[in-house]
Amino acid sequence: MTPVTRHQTRAVRVGHLLVGGNAPIVVQSMTNTDSADIEATSRQVAQLAQAGSELVRLTVNSDEAAAAVPRIRERLDARGIDVPLVGDFHFNGHKLLAKHPACAEALAKYRINPGNVGRGKKRDQQYASMIETACRYDKAVRIGVNWGSLDQELVVRLMDENQQRAQPADSSVIIHQAMVLSALESAHRAEELGLGGDRIVLSVKMSGVQDLVAVYRSLAAQCDYALHLGLTEAGMGAKGIVASSAALAILLQQGIGDTIRISLTPEPGGSRTQEVIVAQEILQSMGLRSFTPSVVACPGCGRTLSDYFQKLAQDIQHYLRAQMPQWHSRYPGVENMTVAVMGCVVNGPGESKHANIGISLPGTGERPVAPVYVDGEKTVTLKGERIAEDFQQLVDAYVQNTYG
């Protein structure tokens, strides 16, 4: 696979992580609990971290939430969960950070939206207060511009200037310019206030795929700050997954992006961890990072009337992902392993030979046997009622023998 040439950005330390520079692209997520609920928020942060989220952001919107942050950090530390926490501030962040120094200290990064800091002189003062707090505690800051809460004073100014031109640009172009200008001006102001460029991450989130690609291309061409990618308000289910994948894949392929989040609306009662899995799958499918062994499985056709291979592929995939929290430290490199679960003789043996370990199940009308291939060589033929259990044992043995 041809490697992607990354856009060169400054490395930013966020807790024990590095974001940007030559560091691997970081996966992050966000809780949707009431941050004042220490137990529920700690539990969800732990779930997200176990799923593979390397940064977790949480809402800090009240005195109660700010007071809870250091206690959440303590609970996570007591469980051995060192995932850095990011505080999401809007409207009153300057007050909360000043009033709750333990919160300011416990967070690894502050997320500031320039459009939601204030208006006029108050905006300048309140923004400066937050940046000065970040400098005092040596914290990273993500300056996150969002088109749903863009600084309207800046938009009006740019729109007025545009109307004075002989050939005014389309309003969408002006919005794109306002997004990038807001991020850059805010970053430059933060540096003037004493925050190093190596403590700044920028994002310019939009909800349209082509809009997102356009603004990030423009931003990347104008700066070397670390960049956080995400399609904001991506939506639910397949729509959110497809839209996020389409937008981020274009940018990542061009080397743009140092950390990503998939902003999925969860199904009612659904797990928040889905956004972590989708982010990992995007990076892994593009060859940018590996998180868990890949399962290659055919889609099925008229030769595979039984759903046995589908169930086996699903079970194996769930099993591998469930083992990764333990395997990650015990079996270095196991995340690069490929497992093939194929449904008939047409492509089954070939795909199985290409995988580290693969099984070719019998299709309709074929002999009821399942040859297993290990590193390209046929090693055993399974049959009977315990094919699934026997194959899982073979996968376990391969992991221990190869990566142990």
Side-chain angles (χ1 to χ4, degrees):
M1 185 178 292
T2 303
V4 173
T5 301
R6 295 271 299 279
H7 174 65
Q8 288 303 300
T9 58
R10 301 186 226 189
V12 179
R13 181 172 50 81
V14 182
H16 61 81
L17 283 177
L18 281 181
V19 173
N22 294 318
I25 297 169
V26 171
V27 171
Q28 65 176 271
S29 59
M30 184 174 183
T31 60
N32 61 356
T33 57
D34 179 359
S35 299
D37 187 334
I38 296 168
E39 175 57 34
T41 304
S42 300
R43 183 169 58 249
Q44 191 173 74
V45 171
Q47 292 169 348
L48 291 166
Q50 186 173 30
S53 183
E54 294 159 308
L55 286 175
V56 177
R57 180 159 50 111
L58 43 84
T59 299
V60 186
N61 61 340
S62 66
D63 285 312
E64 293 77 12
V69 168
R71 296 176 64 187
I72 292 169
R73 179 73 271 165
E74 289 171 1
R75 288 203 179 193
L76 294 169
D77 290 342
R79 296 179 57 182
I81 299 170
D82 62 353
V83 61
L85 299 178
V86 180
D88 191 66
F89 294 100
H90 296 271
F91 310 112
N92 60 352
H94 59 292
K95 294 180 180 178
L96 295 176
L97 285 170
K99 188 175 180 180
H100 298 274
C103 170
E105 177 65 36
L107 294 169
K109 183 170 72 170
Y110 309 154
R111 193 274 195 177
I112 304 174
N113 184 338
N116 288 342
V117 173
R119 296 287 182 269
K121 291 183 178 179
K122 282 189 175 181
R123 175 190 183 280
D124 295 339
Q125 296 168 357
Q126 290 165 186
Y127 181 74
S129 174
M130 298 182 75
I131 297 300
E132 287 163 1
T133 301
C135 293
R136 184 178 310 121
Y137 292 100
D138 192 24
K139 302 297 181 179
V141 171
R142 172 158 74 93
I143 298 170
V145 180
N146 191 304
W147 83 315
S149 51
L150 188 56
D151 181 356
Q152 290 305 301
E153 294 175 8
L154 175 60
V155 173
V156 170
R157 173 166 64 86
L158 293 180
M159 288 292 187
D160 288 344
E161 292 175 358
N162 184 52
Q163 291 303 314
Q164 303 304 314
R165 297 172 182 164
Q167 295 184 322
D170 186 83
S171 61
S172 64
V173 174
I174 304 304
I175 293 296
H176 293 176
Q177 292 175 353
M179 295 281 292
V180 173
L181 189 59
S182 176
L184 292 176
E185 286 186 348
S186 298
H188 295 156
R189 178 55 182 154
E191 291 206 61
E192 290 174 358
L193 292 165
L195 189 68
D198 59 352
R199 308 300 280 144
I200 296 173
V201 179
L202 298 185
S203 68
V204 281
K205 289 190 173 184
M206 305 189 79
S207 59
V209 171
Q210 297 298 345
D211 291 316
L212 191 82
V213 171
V215 294
Y216 270 102
R217 280 175 172 168
S218 177
L219 180 61
Q222 297 180 56
C223 75
D224 64 352
Y225 294 113
L227 301 180
H228 167 71
L229 301 187
L231 187 74
T232 191
E233 290 98 35
M236 298 181 72
K239 183 269 180 186
I241 293 172
V242 171
S244 294
S245 301
L248 269 60
I250 294 171
L251 293 167
L252 291 168
Q253 185 64 27
Q254 295 177 3
I256 298 171
D258 301 293
T259 173
I260 67 171
R261 185 207 169 190
I262 308 301
S263 299
L264 295 179
T265 303
E267 301 288 343
S271 174
R272 192 70 165 177
T273 60
Q274 185 185 23
E275 66 178 50
V276 179
I277 294 171
V278 173
Q280 290 180 333
E281 292 290 353
I282 291 173
L283 294 176
Q284 185 151 336
S285 66
M286 296 184 68
L288 295 171
R289 286 191 67 183
S290 294
F291 298 93
T292 190
S294 297
V295 177
V296 178
C298 65
C301 67
R303 294 184 176 89
T304 55
L305 300 183
S306 169
D307 62 359
Y308 189 86
F309 86 95
Q310 298 165 337
K311 292 178 179 177
L312 179 56
Q314 182 181 57
D315 289 347
I316 287 292
Q317 185 159 287
H318 289 168
Y319 175 74
L320 294 172
R321 185 168 286 278
Q323 301 310 303
M324 280 309 295
Q326 292 78 38
W327 282 2
H328 183 71
S329 57
R330 291 179 60 191
Y331 303 117
V334 69
E335 65 274 8
N336 298 306
M337 182 176 73
T338 57
V339 181
V341 179
M342 303 299 293
C344 80
V345 74
V346 173
N347 291 320
E351 285 286 359
S352 297
K353 289 177 182 178
H354 287 304
N356 293 115
I357 180 170
I359 185 170
S360 179
L361 293 163
T364 303
E366 296 177 22
R367 290 179 59 218
V369 296
V372 174
Y373 297 82
V374 175
D375 291 330
E377 300 294 332
K378 182 179 174 180
T379 59
V380 67
T381 298
L382 303 179
K383 53 188 173 182
E385 301 296 323
R386 292 183 50 81
I387 288 178
E389 293 84 350
D390 292 343
F391 183 63
Q392 183 172 303
Q393 290 179 3
L394 291 171
V395 171
D396 280 339
Y398 182 86
V399 170
Q400 294 173 22
N401 294 334
T402 306
Y403 304 101

